[in-house]
Amino acid sequence: MDGFDARVPVISSGRSFRVWITTFGALSWSGFRRYATYRQATIAGAFTNTVFGFLRCYVLLAVAAGAGAAKPGGYDGAQLATFVWVGQGLLTVVALWGWTELSQRIRSGEITADLLRPVHPVLGYLAPDLGRAGHAMIFRFLPPLAVGALFFDLYGPSRPYTIPLFALSIVLAVVGSLGIRYLVNATAYWLHDARGPMILWTLAGGFLAGLYFPLRFLPDWLAVTLWVATPFPGLIQTPLDVLVERDPPGRQMALVGLQALWAAGLLALAVLVQRRAERRLVAQGG
């Protein structure tokens, strides 16, 4: 971590806010630099997301054309194209799949080293994950969106606060995603192998988050139930609906507020699960 002291101060309520921010920023920067080293994987991933963007965009535009004058799910053609291309970029930023670091460290026993660090494990993974998301915003989000804007008519927000609200919604989506991924990985504390829960999450996550198609295509009662009773729409569907201004201003802000509640709740639940897991480690002599 160039420019930072190698000694990482303790993140705790007893420390000053400046020290807290410095440490959190150092950990976030380390996450950014870690993913910046995988240049070939970044280029290959952006290319793959772009190819799948064309496939998904033509499918949804065919649905819009088949609906005639009606708007499927309340979206017009430009909103659906924006939904696809921005969603292809968000897929990597939010990182629904592929994160197994915590479960592997639990399985190997290396998690005991994490518990000795002066940073709570949840914060110790959240800060680098925000750095990873920052790297993905530059190198995985923008390229597919630029290609989409080149070949399709995308929706341009008309409300002045939509872009800042969209940015806030992305941050909340990343925090909520880390909370869910942490909980799925933490099942390894009890199961010793989290591959089963991870496969279940991989199969269900894209559908429940609105990645494959807008959740507004579902019956109203099912879409509302998913939105209110689960955190999943907040990972992909809410940021995209905010950007394409699918709802009136009041509901647009209410969706982000609900997203914030779920993100805070998931982090709190991750902290609680981690505390229970540490008691289990002590009971087993770990």
Side-chain angles (χ1 to χ4, degrees):
M1 295 183 287
D2 295 343
F4 292 97
D5 194 319
R7 297 166 298 172
V8 178
V10 178
I11 293 183
S12 70
S13 57
R15 290 279 180 171
S16 69
F17 184 71
R18 177 177 166 276
V19 172
W20 197 97
I21 288 295
T22 301
T23 304
F24 197 86
L27 292 173
S28 299
W29 178 237
S30 71
F32 185 99
R33 292 192 59 188
R34 175 184 179 185
Y35 282 86
T37 59
Y38 304 123
R39 297 184 182 88
Q40 293 181 347
T42 299
I43 295 172
F47 176 78
T48 303
N49 284 358
T50 302
V51 172
F52 277 94
F54 278 101
L55 297 176
R56 291 186 57 224
C57 194
Y58 280 122
V59 169
L60 287 185
L61 289 180
V63 171
K71 293 182 177 180
Y75 303 96
D76 60 24
Q79 287 174 315
L80 285 175
T82 305
F83 193 98
V84 169
W85 286 105
V86 176
Q88 287 299 108
L90 276 184
L91 174 61
T92 310
V93 176
V94 176
L96 286 180
W97 309 307
W99 190 69
T100 60
E101 184 176 346
L102 175 61
S103 64
Q104 289 176 352
R105 292 182 70 80
I106 294 171
R107 191 177 182 185
S108 66
E110 293 173 321
I111 189 65
T112 53
D114 294 346
L115 301 180
L116 296 175
R117 294 172 181 168
V119 178
H120 191 281
V122 175
L123 285 177
Y125 283 106
L126 174 62
D129 199 60
L130 289 173
R132 174 205 57 75
H135 175 269
M137 277 298 293
I138 298 173
F139 299 103
R140 297 292 298 274
F141 177 86
L142 293 179
L145 183 58
V147 173
L150 191 62
F151 289 94
F152 297 90
D153 292 328
L154 301 185
Y155 180 83
S158 60
R159 301 166 188 163
Y161 56 83
T162 291
I163 295 299
L165 198 62
F166 174 62
L168 173 62
S169 183
I170 291 178
V171 174
L172 294 174
V174 174
V175 174
S177 171
L178 187 278
I180 293 177
R181 285 181 279 126
Y182 196 98
L183 292 172
V184 172
N185 274 257
T187 58
Y189 279 119
W190 288 268
L191 302 177
H192 305 294
D193 189 342
R195 282 178 290 184
M198 285 181 182
I199 291 174
L200 183 62
W201 164 242
T202 300
L203 293 176
F207 171 76
L208 296 173
L211 174 66
Y212 303 139
F213 58 86
L215 295 179
R216 304 297 182 109
F217 284 7
L218 300 173
D220 288 343
W221 66 268
L222 181 55
V224 171
T225 301
L226 285 175
W227 233 299
V228 176
T230 76
F232 307 117
L235 304 182
I236 297 287
Q237 180 77 38
T238 296
L240 297 180
D241 276 353
V242 167
L243 182 64
V244 302
E245 299 174 340
R246 166 61 177 74
D247 300 294
R251 190 182 301 170
Q252 192 182 28
M253 294 185 181
L255 288 176
V256 177
L258 181 61
Q259 192 185 13
L261 289 177
W262 273 115
L266 286 169
L267 276 190
L269 184 59
V271 171
L272 177 63
V273 168
Q274 178 63 35
R275 187 180 305 159
R276 295 293 298 269
E278 290 173 10
R279 291 178 183 173
R280 178 178 176 81
L281 285 178
V282 171
Q284 292 183 342

